[in-house]
Amino acid sequence: MGGIEVTGTAQRRSWESTGLPDVERVRPGLWSIPVPLPNNPLRYVLVYLLELRAGVAVIDTGWSTEEAWSTLVAGMAIAGYTAADVRAILITHIHPDHYGLAGRLREASGAWVGLHPADAALIPARYGLGIDGLLANMDALLIDAGVPDETRTELTVASMGIREHVAAAEPDVLFEDRVAVALPGWDLITVHTPGHSPGHVCFLDRKGRVLFSGDHVLPRISPSVAVHVQQPINPLADFLDALRSVRDLDVDEVLPAHEWRFRGLDARVDELLEHHRHRLDETYAAISVAPGLTCWETTLRLRWSRDWSQIVGYMRRAAVGETLAHLVLLETTGRVWRDHSRPVRWYPTTDGSDA
Ligand SMILES: [Zn+2]
Ligand SMILES: [Zn+2]
């Protein structure tokens, strides 16, 4: 298996020196603008600017903060545009770092906003008046997962602060799977890639032979795929299918929403598939050694990319949701089963290792 080749070498150098990469002209008519995410391990989101015959389109936007806005506007100026020149706002998914500035940017420009219907459906509960229901459901999910009382309240409300970073915009255009995006001069189609978010889409530029991969395929980290009250039952199965669905796309370069540009989509997909195979085995092993663990207890027995004491708040809840996603997939493939107690307890099936 050949590895990936980093093409965004300046981006990676900036990452290594913990700075913000420069605005880059990736190729004629296409720019990348890093927009900062302070106090977040991702550090920045890469907004892509696509020049049209008149005006520009953007893919993703950044958080709705003054700093992000001024950085985005300054980046557009380097490319020779102002916010008023934006004609289309393409959103890969509605996480705040991608969708946050969509509303403000539309106000400044009159551009249309497009995203997938599965993510559009989540907007009222997540960013609107439905938040109380969402919190009650989240609390119930965490009780079932066995999160102790003293931790649960903190995890239930862990995403509330970030909502300030979103100026929500109802979409004007809904992106179904594999449809052409109406951008004059471009041959762009959507690729629905659920898992990280139910309505995540990548954008395939068939003429330029690049994939705008959003958070679906990143060069260094594996995106969080977690059971959540706004996720379908088995998001990891969806995610692995969606990885396979992009693996053999005929592209020369992948333009992700974080980290740096790279070549070798198939190699990176293989690494991510392997990562989850390994993680499924690790999760299964934890249950085999101690049948009857809750999801929370399983989470504490797995290895994480940093010490558990440094995984706090939102990241801790994401970790619980990721473990649950692996347990659910193990259940559907017949390797583990759950009882109906509260909290739910998980057991290996006798022949689970062969499944
Ligand atoms: Zn995301
Ligand atoms: Zn992101």
Side-chain angles (χ1 to χ4, degrees):
M1 184 173 70
I4 70 165
E5 179 197 342
V6 176
T7 47
T9 48
Q11 293 172 326
R12 190 169 65 175
R13 258 199 314 279
S14 303
W15 170 274
E16 282 162 356
S17 65
T18 71
L20 192 67
D22 291 332
V23 173
E24 279 186 345
R25 183 168 166 275
V26 179
R27 51 187 70 194
L30 174 60
W31 300 76
S32 93
I33 303 175
V35 174
L37 306 170
N39 305 316
N40 184 293
L42 293 170
R43 295 194 208 153
Y44 55 84
V45 61
L46 296 168
V47 173
Y48 293 99
L49 197 72
L50 286 63
E51 296 183 32
L52 309 175
R53 288 188 201 114
V56 290
V58 298
I59 297 178
D60 291 332
T61 63
W63 279 347
S64 182
T65 64
E66 281 310 316
E67 185 192 11
W69 176 258
S70 56
T71 307
L72 179 59
V73 169
M76 288 184 190
I78 292 173
Y81 296 93
T82 70
D85 294 321
V86 177
R87 300 285 178 271
I89 302 164
L90 282 51
I91 301 296
T92 59
H93 63 301
I94 60 160
H95 290 170
D97 48 330
H98 302 257
Y99 172 64
L101 274 171
R104 184 165 177 184
L105 195 52
R106 180 166 64 185
E107 246 169 60
S109 63
W112 57 264
V113 174
L115 50 89
H116 189 275
D119 265 25
L122 308 180
I123 293 170
R126 187 178 293 215
Y127 301 123
L129 297 173
I131 191 69
D132 289 342
L134 185 143
L135 292 177
N137 292 339
M138 179 56 78
D139 202 49
L141 186 150
L142 295 174
I143 291 172
D144 284 340
V147 177
D149 290 347
E150 64 271 18
T151 309
R152 206 179 68 243
T153 313
E154 181 203 342
L155 297 200
T156 297
V157 299
S159 295
M160 294 303 284
I162 204 90
R163 289 172 84 237
E164 289 168 23
H165 293 344
V166 176
E170 286 297 326
D172 307 289
V173 175
L174 291 176
F175 292 142
E176 298 291 346
D177 185 29
R178 309 257 174 175
V179 294
V181 182
L183 294 183
W186 290 78
D187 181 8
L188 211 66
I189 62 165
T190 60
V191 185
H192 183 210
T193 46
H196 176 64
S197 185
H200 191 289
V201 286
C202 299
F203 298 100
L204 174 63
D205 171 6
R206 292 187 291 198
K207 203 162 69 184
R209 298 171 53 84
V210 300
L211 182 72
F212 298 95
S213 64
D215 283 358
H216 183 53
V217 182
L218 299 169
R220 187 183 65 98
I221 58 167
S222 75
S224 171
V225 177
V227 172
H228 179 278
V229 294
Q230 288 198 319
Q231 272 282 26
I233 307 297
N234 195 350
L236 187 55
D238 293 345
F239 178 69
L240 299 178
D241 284 345
L243 280 178
R244 293 182 196 105
S245 81
V246 299
R247 183 188 183 280
D248 297 319
L249 291 176
D250 193 14
V251 295
D252 297 328
E253 191 173 21
V254 181
L255 305 182
H258 302 285
E259 302 179 336
W260 43 82
R261 320 186 256 123
F262 66 97
R263 255 195 271 279
L265 177 59
D266 52 353
R268 184 59 188 144
V269 164
D270 289 343
E271 288 173 3
L272 289 166
L273 291 170
E274 178 59 28
H275 165 80
H276 284 287
R277 252 193 306 274
H278 182 261
R279 196 63 167 173
L280 286 163
D281 287 343
E282 191 188 357
T283 308
Y284 175 75
I287 299 293
S288 296
V289 168
L293 292 180
T294 65
C295 175
W296 172 257
E297 290 162 346
T298 309
T299 304
L300 296 178
R301 285 167 183 243
L302 299 178
R303 271 193 311 275
W304 296 93
S305 58
R306 57 189 77 194
D307 191 78
W308 184 251
S309 64
Q310 290 173 28
I311 299 178
V312 293
Y314 171 76
M315 293 204 311
R316 191 165 277 206
R317 191 180 77 202
V320 174
E322 287 166 25
T323 303
L324 192 52
H326 286 86
L327 287 167
V328 169
L329 185 54
L330 287 169
E331 178 184 45
T332 57
T333 52
R335 296 176 72 184
V336 306
W337 60 278
R338 68 175 105 186
D339 69 12
H340 294 288
S341 58
R342 200 169 208 215
V344 172
R345 298 190 174 280
W346 296 84
Y347 301 87
T349 53
T350 41
D351 59 350
S353 56
D354 305 321

